[in-house]
Amino acid sequence: HTPHDGQVDPGSLIEALGRSALARGLVRWREQVTALAARPAGGWRLQGANGSQQDCEAVLLCNGLGGPALLQRSGLDLNPALQLEPVLGQAAELRLRSPAPLEHAWMWRGVNLIPRAPGHLWIGATLEPGEQASGSAFEQLLGLGGAAPPWLQGAELMRRWQGLRPRPIGRPAPVLEQVATGLWLALGHYRNGTLLAPATALWLAEALERG
C-alpha cells in the first residue's frame, strides 16, 4: 500500500489517448499487417492481409504476442530469438455489501484491491499460464484463497473480464530494442503495460529523434 499512489482506468485512458492522437493528425490504417520489408531507398513497407501496402519511414512493433510471428514471417530473426508466452489474467468489479476499510489501492499476495465508485471494488488479477481461463482460479481470486475478510464475503459480481499478457521468455520485461534502422520493438510489458507506457513513449520518442 502506497498512500500517495494513483490509479487510472486503462480503458478510458486508451480511449483518451486515441482521441488526442487523432486530434494531432494521427491517420489510422485499419488493416492487419502480415509482413514488413525494408525498402531499398530507406524506410519500411507494410503488407496488409487484403493485399494493400503502406510505406513508412519508421515502424514500431507493439503488437504483443503477435510480435515474434510477424518478425519471423518477415525474415527478421533476432539473436537471441524473441519468445513471448501468454499469461491469462481474470479480474472483476464487485459491489460490496458492507463498506471496505480501503481508501487507496492495496496489493495482497499479488492480488490488487482497488476501490472504485462508492461501495465498488476492482479485484485482480489471476496469473494463469496459457490462454484458457480457469473457473476455479477466478473463485480463488474472489475469495482471496479462503482469506477474504467479512466485508468482501458475499460481494455481488458486477462485471468480469480477462486478457492475455505477453511475458518474455529468457529476458526481462519489457522488450525495448531497435531491430534494424527505423524498426523498433516495444512489447512484452507483461503486467505493467499501463504503468510503463509513459516511459516507453519517452524511450521511443528519443530513439526516433536519434534515428
Side-chain angles (χ1 to χ4, degrees), residues 48-69:
N50 66 355
S52 60
Q53 296 179 336
Q54 180 76 28
D55 291 341
C56 51
E57 295 182 12
V59 174
L60 169 65
L61 289 187
C62 51
N63 56 336
L65 292 168

Side-chain angles (χ1 to χ4, degrees), residues 96-178:
L96 306 176
R97 300 187 183 277
S98 58
L102 302 178
E103 296 182 0
H104 306 280
W106 283 75
M107 177 177 286
W108 185 86
R109 296 184 180 179
V111 175
N112 292 292
L113 303 168
I114 306 174
R116 298 294 293 175
H120 287 240
L121 180 80
W122 279 8
I123 183 171
T126 61
L127 293 174
E128 306 171 54
E131 302 182 7
Q132 297 298 320
S134 165
S136 61
F138 186 70
E139 293 300 323
Q140 286 287 313
L141 171 70
L142 298 183
L144 294 182
W151 53 264
L152 185 58
Q153 298 175 16
E156 180 183 359
L157 178 62
M158 303 299 295
R159 184 166 63 101
R160 65 185 293 181
W161 62 94
Q162 65 187 51
L164 296 177
R165 294 160 294 190
R167 179 169 61 187
I169 299 176
R171 65 174 73 189
V175 178
L176 303 177
E177 62 181 74
Q178 185 171 5

Side-chain angles (χ1 to χ4, degrees), residues 59-60 176 184-186 198-210:
V59 174
L60 169 65
L176 303 177
W184 288 270
L185 302 181
T200 300
L202 179 60
W203 170 82
L204 176 63
E206 294 176 347
L208 287 171
E209 289 181 353
R210 291 193 303 267

Side-chain angles (χ1 to χ4, degrees), residues 15 19 46 60 95 110 112 137 142 174 193 196:
E15 291 178 0
R19 291 193 299 268
L46 309 182
L60 169 65
R95 182 163 63 187
N112 292 292
L142 298 183
L196 296 179

